[in-house]
Amino acid sequence: MPNLGTITELAPRLRRMQVSPVELTRDCLDRIEKLNPELRAFISVTAESALAEARGAEIEIGRGDWRGPLHGIPIALKDLIDTGGTRTTAASALYQDRVPTEDAEVARRLRQAGAVILGKNNLHEFAYGGSSLVSFFGDTHNPWNPEHIAGGSSGGSAAAVAAGLCYAAIGTDTAGSVREPAALCGCVGLKPTYGRVSARGVIPLSWSLDHVGPLAASVRDAAVMLQAVAGYDALDAGSAEVPVSDYVSDLGHVTKNLRVGVPRAHFYDGLNDEVGAAMEEALTVIGTLVADVRDMQIAVPTDRTVQAAESFAFHAENVARSPELYQPETLRRIRSGEKVSAAEYIQRRREMDEERRRAHDFFDKVDLLVTPTMPIPAPTIADLKKDPAALRPAELLLLRNTRPFNVWGLPAISVPCGFTKNGLPLGLQIAGPHWREDLVLRLARAYESATEWHQRRPVE
């Protein structure tokens, strides 16, 4: 059974029983067996249970109990999303044998939608980094060129989607950890509005900044995934009771009435030449799709106190008891929050709330914002490893354009917008007002339809 590319292509064929969920799952498992030793995109592969789920989906579809476009589709989960009965490690020795008793809410909703879960993706340990080079289970490699990073912290999820090891994945994004690896691996990564998708049962990095979102091969597939997991969870303190749009149907709405803002300062500063050229091309295309494209100014928050303090608060007990079970660099980053006082944390958290309110003003005269996802292409693993002290500054540069949207809590997506002369993917970021994932997805889909970047696949 060939890999047919997208969920959108597969869903109607699955429903008509022209394609078998079992064969799709076996195909993915074969590709994982072949490619994962080099990519290290998966930590755990749940072949037996995945095939059982696929057989169950085939029976249900056969008797007419089709649950929707994810029914029988093989997907994966970042390995800090709890799965009942299957270990969830956060890529750490500390949790290498941790087996949750129940699913995270996002995993439960995906199972309810009929998705087949192939296993758990590798990541930057405890999601505290943007390279996926700090993991108890080894580095994740970029499927376009294994000498380069896949990004992070959801590096395994992006690499798995780009390499066709699964049809989609769920990652987490605290400073860009869905969008950054999506851009570096040439797939689509969506961070919804803060509170749109439940984070209950997801090992946190920073409660105030963590977002859960999909990685997929196309914008339409990302919309299908978001549709399955979005919505209020009364048991999640960060979840918001806001109506959920029909994201898939809304993709067909016109974009010609939209106004696009281009915040040049900060987001376009010091771009790699190839990134800059790709962005100008992309803006030219977007100009043909919308009513107006205009430059604008936005002040960008850069303080990282809230993340540092909340991360240390979660880990403090284990850091005191078993520091040797953390990778040294992760331990250093966690301890950076140790000396944040309660007064300083409260003040910085209040400032973050003010930033989220201020973000409403960005959209007084525009409907969406467009920036490069990354200011540079994927660095080589060797370059980042030759000087350990340079790793964190390199990651912060990679996350420079994505992190502000976590502070603001705004929905943002990364879509492919070009390649370097060496064949590395580049990404375009589109962001919108709170709760307007429909607008973000609409322009992303229009841009995707007007270009061919998303159709390229890595050569095996």
Side-chain angles (χ1 to χ4, degrees):
M1 179 66 64
N3 187 308
L4 297 179
T6 71
I7 296 168
T8 303
E9 292 168 340
L10 285 169
R13 298 174 186 176
L14 282 163
R15 188 177 189 181
R16 293 192 297 266
M17 299 191 69
Q18 296 170 336
V19 175
S20 162
V22 176
E23 292 305 315
L24 286 180
T25 301
R26 283 182 178 146
D27 178 59
C28 287
L29 292 172
D30 287 346
R31 292 179 64 79
I32 292 168
E33 185 177 9
K34 176 184 175 184
L35 299 176
N36 198 59
E38 180 176 46
L39 298 179
R40 295 198 190 105
F42 279 83
I43 289 173
S44 299
V45 180
T46 54
E48 186 176 338
S49 62
L51 286 168
E53 290 168 9
R55 284 189 288 270
E58 188 163 270
I59 292 168
E60 289 172 344
I61 295 169
R63 67 181 182 224
D65 295 333
W66 188 67
R67 301 191 200 179
L70 286 179
H71 203 175
I73 297 289
I75 66 164
L77 302 173
K78 186 176 183 178
D79 199 23
L80 47 60
I81 298 170
D82 280 355
T83 41
T86 300
R87 69 175 181 164
T88 301
T89 71
S92 179
L94 183 70
Y95 284 174
Q96 63 179 303
D97 298 316
R98 176 180 176 271
V99 179
T101 57
E102 60 183 35
D103 284 342
E105 176 63 12
V106 67
R108 187 194 69 79
R109 294 189 185 201
L110 287 165
R111 291 192 201 275
Q112 191 174 48
V116 173
I117 297 178
L118 294 164
K120 311 298 286 294
N121 294 133
N122 202 0
L123 64 143
H124 202 110
E125 184 181 28
F126 282 111
Y128 213 147
S131 65
S132 298
L133 297 184
V134 181
S135 167
F136 179 66
F137 299 94
D139 308 334
T140 302
H141 295 249
N142 194 311
W144 293 90
N145 184 335
E147 294 182 0
H148 291 255
I149 67 168
S153 61
S154 307
S157 300
V161 170
L165 309 187
C166 58
Y167 286 93
I170 293 289
T172 63
D173 190 313
T174 306
S177 290
V178 162
R179 290 158 291 152
E180 185 227 301
L184 299 187
C185 289
C187 61
V188 175
L190 172 63
K191 180 194 80 65
T193 306
Y194 182 80
R196 172 64 86 191
V197 177
S198 174
R200 180 165 57 93
V202 178
I203 297 167
L205 173 59
S206 172
W207 297 283
S208 298
L209 296 162
D210 292 344
H211 300 63
V212 179
L215 297 103
S218 72
V219 173
R220 187 173 292 276
D221 285 3
V224 168
M225 289 287 284
L226 180 62
Q227 199 75 60
V229 298
Y232 180 57
D233 176 8
L235 299 180
D236 176 21
S239 184
E241 195 168 4
V242 178
V244 174
S245 298
D246 184 340
Y247 300 117
V248 179
S249 295
D250 287 348
L251 290 175
H253 293 179
V254 298
T255 58
K256 272 296 186 181
N257 60 338
L258 297 178
R259 303 160 301 165
V260 168
V262 180
R264 294 279 179 180
H266 180 88
F267 294 101
Y268 288 77
D269 292 344
L271 297 180
N272 165 276
D273 288 345
E274 291 182 285
V275 173
M279 280 306 303
E280 293 310 312
E281 266 188 54
L283 288 172
T284 299
V285 173
I286 287 171
T288 69
L289 302 173
V290 301
D292 182 41
V293 177
R294 66 181 72 177
D295 286 0
M296 60 186 296
Q297 296 290 320
I298 296 176
V300 177
T302 57
D303 186 81
R304 302 199 307 276
T305 303
V306 169
Q307 178 179 317
E310 292 185 348
S311 178
F312 180 75
F314 177 78
H315 289 279
E317 185 177 334
N318 285 321
V319 164
R321 186 175 57 219
S322 306
E324 73 283 357
L325 294 179
Y326 291 88
Q327 300 292 303
E329 177 60 14
T330 305
L331 187 63
R332 185 192 69 78
R333 295 179 191 188
I334 290 170
R335 282 179 166 161
S336 71
E338 188 170 8
K339 292 188 168 75
V340 178
S341 69
E344 183 181 7
Y345 170 73
I346 291 168
Q347 178 60 29
R348 296 290 177 258
R349 186 62 181 78
R350 178 179 174 82
E351 289 169 3
M352 196 187 79
D353 289 340
E354 291 170 352
E355 283 289 335
R356 288 187 175 170
R357 287 192 292 274
R358 182 173 74 89
H360 293 285
D361 299 338
F362 302 165
F363 303 99
D364 285 346
K365 296 180 180 179
V366 300
D367 301 297
L368 295 163
L369 307 174
V370 172
T371 78
T373 311
M374 300 290 105
I376 60 174
T380 66
I381 292 171
D383 282 346
L384 293 186
K385 285 198 158 188
K386 67 185 178 185
D387 181 6
L391 176 61
R392 189 56 173 157
E395 291 177 348
L396 293 176
L397 174 61
L398 285 164
L399 297 166
R400 182 194 77 184
N401 284 3
T402 53
R403 186 184 176 280
F405 295 98
N406 294 77
V407 175
W408 294 323
L410 298 172
I413 195 170
S414 179
V415 295
C417 72
F419 287 82
T420 69
K421 64 179 182 295
N422 293 325
L424 294 172
L426 302 173
L428 162 79
Q429 180 173 230
I430 301 169
H434 294 120
W435 316 115
R436 293 309 307 269
E437 290 86 2
D438 59 320
L439 284 184
V440 171
L441 287 161
R442 190 186 309 170
L443 181 57
R445 173 59 181 157
Y447 174 77
E448 182 182 74
S449 298
T451 58
E452 297 181 350
W453 306 118
H454 66 288
Q455 295 176 5
R456 297 195 189 182
R457 295 289 180 269
V459 177
E460 296 175 16

